[in-house]
Structures are given as C-alpha cells and as structure tokens.
C-alpha cells in the first residue's frame, strides 16, 4: 500500500466529534483498515482530539489522516495556539491527553496557520492490509 491522505473540515459544535468518528472510520475502512478493536481505539482518539479542538480551540476544525503501510497518523488543527497538556482529572475533564497516550505510539503539536495541529501516531495496525486500498483484493494485478 502506498501513502494515502485525506482531509476533512468540520464545523464547530457538539456534533463535530461524532461526525469525525464516522468519517475517519469510513475512510480507514475503505483503505483496508478493518480490525474492529483497532478502529474502536482510533474512534476514541479522534473523538478526544476533536472534542478538545471544539472546547478549547476556536476557529474551524480540520482533521487529516495519513497512512504509510500499516502506520496511521491523525491530526486535528484548530485556531488556538494553546498547547494541550496532561492535567489532573476532575469533573470537567482532564483525561484526554492520558487517553491519547494510552491508545497511541506518539503524539505532538506543531504550529498551523496561526493556531496549532495536534498529531497522533496510532499504534501499528495489527492485521494484514489489502494490497489494493479500497478493495478486498490481496493478489497482484
């Protein structure tokens, strides 16, 4: 499988995390990433990223997905330059960074168009991928 990319702009609002989960899952599934537990972990990560962008970011929210072989990186950009940090959980939240760290192999923040982009490298995909993204074919053409 060669490198694949997808981008999605989301309107701010309470429906943004659910929309991001649906779209990211659909894209990854169409690329051959179909292992259920891995996809569930991915949905949690994207939900945390988008929820934080909606709550604390400002401006539009942009989601990107990049793959190279079985390695997937998700990134969410927003209009705030405030960098997320681990904090003690309370009734209002504070668990997001810990959840992201538990479900990924790496994460970080980079400047992005006056705001920031939080990227997460997901754990390596555990199953075989089709040789032809978007199909169930595994044989060479």
């Amino acid at each position: 499988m060669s490198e694949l990319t997808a981008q999605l702009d989301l309107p701010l609002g309470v429906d943004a995390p659910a929309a991001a989960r649906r779209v990211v899952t659909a894209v990854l599934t169409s690329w051959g990433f179909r292992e259920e537990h891995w996809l569930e972990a991915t949905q949690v990560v994207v939900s945390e990223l988008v929820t934080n962008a909606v709550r604390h970011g400002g401006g539009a929210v942009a989601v990107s997905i990049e793959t190279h072989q079985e390695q997937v990186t998700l990134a969410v950009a927003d209009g705030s330059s405030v960098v997320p940090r681990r904090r003690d959980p309370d009734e209002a939240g504070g668990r997001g960074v810990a959840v992201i760290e538990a479900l990924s192999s790496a994460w970080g923040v980079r400047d992005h168009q006056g705001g920031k982009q939080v990227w997460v490298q997901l754990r390596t995909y555990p199953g075989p991928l089709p040789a032809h993204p978007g199909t169930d074919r595994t044989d060479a053409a």
Side-chain angles (χ1 to χ4, degrees):
M1 178 189 294
S2 60
E3 189 167 314
L4 298 169
T5 62
Q7 295 186 352
L8 167 69
D9 293 327
L10 294 170
L12 292 178
V14 296
D15 296 332
R21 286 191 304 272
R22 284 191 303 274
V23 171
V24 167
T25 300
V27 167
L28 290 171
T29 300
S30 76
W31 289 348
F33 295 88
R34 295 188 176 104
E35 202 283 320
E36 185 177 345
H37 295 295
W38 185 88
L39 284 171
E40 288 171 356
T42 300
Q43 291 170 349
V44 172
V45 169
V46 88
S47 188
E48 287 294 334
L49 290 171
V50 172
T51 297
N52 287 342
V54 169
R55 280 189 187 161
H56 308 292
V61 175
V63 177
S64 66
I65 311 163
E66 297 179 8
T67 69
H68 182 70
Q69 300 298 338
E70 65 278 343
Q71 189 59 62
V72 176
T73 302
L74 301 174
V76 175
D78 63 47
S80 171
S81 60
V82 176
V83 174
R85 61 178 174 78
R86 184 185 272 266
R87 63 185 181 97
D88 292 330
D90 58 26
E91 304 81 40
R95 294 168 186 82
V97 171
V99 168
I100 288 168
E101 288 175 343
L103 297 175
S104 67
S105 58
W107 74 279
V109 181
R110 54 185 160 236
D111 291 336
H112 183 78
Q113 300 176 357
K116 69 177 169 303
Q117 184 182 58
V118 180
W119 59 267
V120 174
Q121 187 175 57
L122 299 174
R123 291 192 175 152
T124 302
Y125 185 73
L129 295 174
H132 306 285
T135 72
D136 289 327
R137 291 182 51 197
T138 56
D139 59 320

